[in-house]
Amino acid sequence: MARRKFARLKSALYEAELTQADIARACGRGTTYISRRMNGREPFNTADMLVIGRLLDLPRDQWLNYFVDGPVQEGAAYANR
């Protein structure tokens, strides 16, 4: 069975009783914009992560667990420099 994209973020939305439409409004975006990110078609940008993280009261040091879908390697951001 396929793994659900952004499962932790979707669970946090469910627990907060918020929808993707609520997130879109808070970010000043359309629902299609948020849907494309929640389905892994486009990456989240830092401005959106900031709004969503604050709205869901997510600890900033945990954001990678919510906004990066898949394994995160230590130092991966610097690997291609």
Side-chain angles (χ1 to χ4, degrees):
M1 187 159 115
R3 189 176 57 79
R4 200 171 106 192
K5 297 274 186 192
F6 295 99
R8 289 191 79 181
L9 183 56
K10 289 176 181 177
S11 292
L13 282 171
Y14 178 79
E15 289 173 17
E17 297 181 354
L18 295 172
T19 65
Q20 288 184 23
D22 296 326
I23 295 296
R25 273 190 297 279
C27 291
R29 306 285 189 171
T31 54
T32 301
Y33 175 93
I34 296 299
S35 177
R36 291 187 60 78
R37 277 133 190 91
M38 296 291 288
N39 289 308
R41 291 191 171 91
E42 300 285 340
F44 285 97
N45 66 36
T46 53
D48 296 333
M49 287 190 283
L50 182 62
V51 171
I52 297 167
R54 287 180 176 166
L55 188 64
L56 296 175
D57 197 29
L58 303 175
R60 199 174 267 202
D61 64 343
Q62 299 280 318
W63 283 8
L64 289 179
N65 297 325
Y66 291 90
F67 295 107
V68 176
D69 192 46
V72 177
Q73 295 177 344
E74 188 76 28
Y78 302 105
N80 293 326
R81 288 187 176 188

